[in-house]
Amino acid sequence: MFFHHADEIWEKFPSLRAAAIVVRGVSGAKKEAVDIDAMLADTAGRLRTAPESEWPSIQAWRQAYAAMGFKPTQYRCAAEALLRRYRKDGALPRFHPLVDVLNAESMNAGIPIAAFDVAHIADGITVRAAVGDEVHTTFKGESEHPVPGEIVFADAAGQAHSRRWVYRQGAASVVRDRSDVVLIVAEALHEDAMADVTALCARLRDRASELGLSVTEETLLTPENRQLEFAPAGVTV
């Protein structure tokens, strides 16, 4: 299996830097190991100093959305949406041990992080412009077709596992209690993206260890290194 960005994405967004990590044993994640309160407190302190809209990592995504023809305040990247909700509500909803940790890390870094159940991905994921016949399954169980040209996370079966790049994931590959092999992707576009994504990748490895998970494949994606290859679910690594 694989994860990569199409050449057209690198050409249009040359500042892109990303981390792709595969973790296994997710169904046995140690729920008691989820301790994100200190990180949330740190994030709250940063938000009191400057709202999320002023963070360089968020500003870079806003510029990217404007370049894609979307109104940045209508379609916010996942990290900005989480930060905005947390700033208003003062709490982070809990869903799953791994997802909760990833949401907290995403907010603290101001970098969108996606997590996909590998068992529900056909062959691999390419981040590319949509043709328009891809299918995106919403969390309400509805099927949508992305607008042609819209950036999606697409697999070989034509499933769009996200819409508008890092705006919204779909339900087809959402991480659930029974999920065992998960692909994690973090993407950044700002000036310090390489340093920040590298540091975030190290933190995610530590978090995975705390949860009792195994990191079996990982890479930092750059214009010189554009693809992660990994074993499918059900294969011992």
Side-chain angles (χ1 to χ4, degrees), residues 24 67 73 110 127 152 189 225:
R24 298 174 191 266
T73 54
V127 182
V152 295
L189 298 166
N225 181 51

Side-chain angles (χ1 to χ4, degrees), residues 26-27 96 117 120 139 171-180:
V26 176
S27 58
H96 178 283
D117 185 335
H120 298 281
F139 286 97
S173 55
V174 66
V175 176
R176 299 178 172 88
D177 288 342
R178 62 181 179 272
S179 300
D180 195 59

Side-chain angles (χ1 to χ4, degrees), residues 144-159:
E144 301 175 343
H145 293 290
V147 177
E150 174 188 333
I151 296 177
V152 295
F153 280 54
D155 69 14
Q159 181 73 224

Side-chain angles (χ1 to χ4, degrees), residues 57-81:
S57 57
I58 300 300
Q59 290 179 337
W61 277 110
R62 285 191 169 203
Q63 291 165 7
Y65 272 82
M68 290 187 286
F70 298 121
K71 188 176 180 180
T73 54
Q74 181 178 3
Y75 298 108
R76 305 175 192 273
C77 78
E80 181 179 2

Side-chain angles (χ1 to χ4, degrees), residues 140 167 211:
K140 294 181 179 179
Y167 168 65
L211 291 169

